[in-house]
Amino acid sequence: MGHHLDLFVSNQKTEVERLLSIGAQRVNWRDREEADDIVLADPDGNTFCVIQKE
């Protein structure tokens, strides 16, 4: 069984840019047009979500 992380951040755009700069990759997830989180994968392919904290 794998793990899935949800990262709650105060500035989603800045954090996604930072994660991409250190090796994360965007994941094209199906059926997510209305989702407010962004799915990324680490260099090993493990997916995680970056969620804007209210």
Side-chain angles (χ1 to χ4, degrees), residues 15-27:
E15 186 61 18
V16 167
E17 289 172 3
R18 185 187 77 79
L19 292 165
L20 292 171
S21 76
I22 61 172
Q25 294 184 3
R26 288 187 181 271
V27 174

Side-chain angles (χ1 to χ4, degrees), residues 26-38:
R26 288 187 181 271
V27 174
N28 247 347
W29 211 262
R30 295 190 317 246
D31 303 323
R32 298 190 42 85
E33 295 88 27
E34 297 178 20
D36 60 355
D37 59 333
I38 297 173

